[in-house]
Amino acid sequence: SQTIHQWPATLVQPVGSPLSLECTVEGTSNPNLYWYRQAAGRGLQLLFYSVGIGQISSEVPQNLSASRPQDRQFILSSKKLLLSDSGFYLCAWSIPGQGNEKLFFGSGTQLSVL
Amino acid sequence: GIQVEQSPPDLILQEGANSTLRCNFSDSVNNLQWFHQNPWGQLINLFYIPSGTKQNGRLSATTVATERYSLLYISSSQTTDSGVYFCAVGEDSWGKFQFGAGTQVVVTP
C-alpha cells in the first residue's frame, strides 16, 4: 500500500534562516505531488505541484521554492524565511489519471518563524 | 479559477445528533472530494464523489453536479467526528484541487 512521509513534524526557525521540508511517497510511481499551506484558521492554499521529476508549477508568488529531485521526493525550500511563512505545511500526492485522482496527505509540518 | 464555498462555517452538535454540511462550487468539476481534518492536523480522505451518492458507515455524501453542490451527512454524531471538514474540487484533468474554507464541527458529549 502507498504511504507518505513528511518531516519534521514541528519546526521553529528565526527570521532570515533557510528552510527545507521533505516529503517522500512509497508504494507508487510517478505520482502527482503537492505542497499546501494552511494558515491559522482553516483554508488550504496550493503552493506548488509537480507532475514529474524536475517539473514544478508555482501557484502563488512567494518566498518559497520547490524541487523534485527524485520521482517520489518533493522538497519545499526557502533561502530566507519571513514571519509570514509561518503556518502548517502539508504535502500530498495523487495517482495521475483522467480526473479521478484521490488526494492523500502527509501528517504536516507546523512551522513557526520567530 | 473555480470558487468553492462551504456552509455552515461552524457547527456545534450534541453527541447522537445528525447534521448536513454543504459545498457549493462555481463551475463544472471532474473531481470532488471530502476530507476530515482531525484536531492533530491530519487530513483524511472521506469520499471521492464527483456525482451520485456514497455511504461509509455513519457518513454519506451526495453530489448533484448539474446544480453544482455536494452534501456531507453525519448521522449519530460522535465526539470523534469533531474537526474540520473540507470539500475540494478538481477543475483540471491532471488533478489540481481547490479547497473550500471548511466547516468546523464540534461534537459535545
Side-chain angles (χ1 to χ4, degrees), chain A residues 32 34 38 42 49 99 101 103, chain B residues 9 31 33 37 45 94-95 101-102:
Chain A
N32 290 336
Y34 311 78
Q38 186 176 29
R42 245 173 260 164
Y49 61 91
E101 303 84 1
L103 194 61
Chain B
N31 188 324
Q33 301 180 41
Q37 187 172 36
N45 194 307
W94 72 269

Side-chain angles (χ1 to χ4, degrees), chain B residues 5 11-12 20 23 25 28 51-52 55 63 74 87 101 105:
Chain B
E5 294 182 356
L11 191 58
I12 299 176
T20 301
C23 172
F25 42 96
S28 300
S51 63
Q55 182 158 5
T63 297
I74 305 174
C87 166
V105 173

Side-chain angles (χ1 to χ4, degrees), chain A residues 32 34 36 38 42-44 46 49-51 59 88 90 94 96-108, chain B residues 9-10 30-31 33 35 37 40-43 45 47-48 84 86 92-97 99-104:
Chain A
N32 290 336
Y34 311 78
Y36 282 88
Q38 186 176 29
R42 245 173 260 164
L44 275 77
L46 178 62
Y49 61 91
S50 172
V51 299
E59 283 296 293
F88 190 52
L90 289 151
S94 67
Q98 297 301 315
N100 60 350
E101 303 84 1
K102 291 185 72 174
L103 194 61
F104 298 96
F105 282 89
S107 54
Chain B
D10 300 279
N30 59 9
N31 188 324
Q33 301 180 41
F35 296 86
Q37 187 172 36
W40 298 271
Q42 180 69 52
L43 274 153
N45 194 307
F47 293 103
Y48 163 74
V84 184
F86 289 100
D92 298 325
S93 60
W94 72 269
K96 178 177 163 183
F97 300 94
F99 279 74
T103 294
Q104 173 85 57

Side-chain angles (χ1 to χ4, degrees), chain A residues 67-85:
Chain A
S67 61
R68 185 170 178 173
Q70 300 180 43
D71 181 45
R72 291 170 289 177
Q73 183 185 29
F74 206 23
I75 297 172
L76 182 69
S77 304
S78 173
K79 292 183 179 178
K80 289 185 177 181
L81 283 168
L82 306 172
L83 286 173
S84 58
D85 292 324

